[in-house]
Amino acid sequence: MQTLVGFAAIWLSWMVSSATGSSYFVFDLPDDQEDCYVEDVVSRSVHSDIFLHFEILEPEVYDSLDVRLISPSGREVRSWQNIKHNHSDISVRESGLYSLCFNKTASSSRRLSILYAFDFASVGTRTLTRYPASVATIQRDKPEETKYTELRLSTDSDGTVQSMGLVQFVFSGVSKSIIHDNTRIMMSFSVEYGSSHNELPATLSPVAGGLKHPSTWTAMADHLSKFRDNVIHGIGGTTGGTLFFDITDDVTAALQANEYPTLTYSIQLESEGYARLSGNDQKFMSHFPTITFEDMGLNVMREIAQFRYAVWDLKGELISIIHNERHSRNTAEAVQSRLVFSSIVTNVVLIALAIGQIVYVRRLIGTGYSF
């Protein structure tokens, strides 16, 4: 009964918060092939999130899934292995058709019923997007070389930066009147690979005076000596995902001070790790580094968006309660079945012993007490 009430609460919350393009259904997963579902996502701003939930209904202990989320350009955004359920929100910036593909693991039951729920939220509206004029990587061990169009970041365990990326943006033709009180300006990078499953410890540092030419490790020595004095910490940044930096203050100050400013930043890892970000050599411009101007809209719209996120978190808590209840119930049922089985076996043994004793005594009486 408690499980039914929990599912009813989840269903009701999904119906209340659902928007155009959301999906909610149950399907049976076939044995011998991957089953994919396609969702159309229109990312109107950097702060765009996919809400994703899936779970095996009434799973056995050995049931599990392998699941992949694939972007419109074919990049694997997120994957899950040997999992029974998932409830997450994933930041995306690419618009188009996203595919969610399900596979059974070899040990799973022949028939699996999967609960699937998909929703999408985008806060704000993109008003302007700028692409970089220059992208490069410089390396400590090759101080006179520059790898253009690439962004490769590497830092040792002691915090020594071995390679960092450089990006330069030109704001020619951009008027300062585009910036209002509710304008947010974000720089974002598409993460091709990160050495950690956690978010990348990436930071962004403004380069005073712009790029030196050629942009080598030696030429950027002045910036390398003091880039830690002024850093902006990134948000997000896992393999297949997106790394965000809020640079609203920097861009606003630059547009106020100069008519057509040029902004240059270095991007590096704050602690040990390695990462490869998409440069401007990609065939899909949606993976280029970008600076995005966004209108965050009215306060009431932002509050509605925050409410949707709160509802999604509530769904996660409800689902967690249901899974804990289901796990406890399955454990109790398993213990009960073992107790019943052991009781039956014990009773059978006792009855067999009693019958054996009766037969033995009757035979003993029938033959008399001859010693």
Side-chain angles (χ1 to χ4, degrees), residues 111-305:
R111 178 186 176 88
L112 291 182
S113 293
I114 312 298
L115 172 65
Y116 171 93
F118 182 98
D119 206 347
F120 176 74
S122 189
V123 182
T125 303
R126 185 184 295 113
T127 56
L128 178 67
T129 299
R130 304 296 291 187
Y131 295 101
S134 178
V135 173
T137 296
I138 56 176
Q139 299 172 269
R140 181 183 295 273
D141 60 349
K142 297 179 180 179
E144 302 302 328
E145 293 184 15
T146 305
K147 293 185 177 180
Y148 290 101
T149 74
E150 296 182 4
L151 289 173
R152 298 177 184 269
L153 319 179
S154 177
T155 299
D156 290 342
S157 57
D158 61 357
T160 302
V161 174
Q162 294 297 327
S163 64
M164 66 167 54
L166 299 171
V167 290
Q168 185 177 65
F169 290 84
V170 179
F171 290 88
S172 58
V174 179
S175 172
K176 61 183 179 182
S177 62
I178 195 174
I179 299 176
H180 304 284
D181 292 339
N182 59 349
T183 299
R184 182 179 64 177
I185 306 171
M186 303 291 289
M187 183 184 294
S188 59
F189 298 86
S190 184
V191 182
E192 295 181 4
Y193 172 78
S195 57
S196 172
H197 294 294
N198 300 321
E199 293 185 353
L200 292 175
T203 59
L204 197 68
S205 302
V207 179
L211 286 179
K212 309 298 180 183
H213 295 285
S215 303
T216 62
W217 189 273
T218 302
M220 301 299 295
D222 184 58
H223 173 72
L224 292 168
S225 66
K226 55 187 179 182
F227 72 89
R228 288 189 173 89
D229 296 342
N230 184 14
V231 297
I232 303 170
H233 291 274
I235 304 169
T238 56
T239 299
T242 307
L243 180 63
F244 302 101
F245 297 91
D246 190 334
I247 57 170
T248 304
D249 293 340
D250 288 357
V251 176
T252 301
L255 288 174
Q256 294 291 341
N258 300 287
E259 187 174 1
Y260 300 127
T262 296
L263 290 180
T264 305
Y265 289 90
S266 69
I267 180 170
Q268 55 279 322
L269 298 181
E270 192 174 35
S271 56
E272 181 183 11
Y274 172 80
R276 184 175 67 250
L277 312 181
S278 296
N280 56 357
D281 59 341
Q282 302 291 312
K283 60 182 178 180
F284 295 102
M285 292 188 69
S286 57
H287 294 308
F288 281 23
T290 60
I291 289 180
T292 307
F293 291 70
E294 297 178 350
D295 186 345
M296 298 305 295
L298 300 174
N299 290 334
V300 65
M301 299 304 296
R302 293 198 293 271
E303 291 175 0
I304 290 174

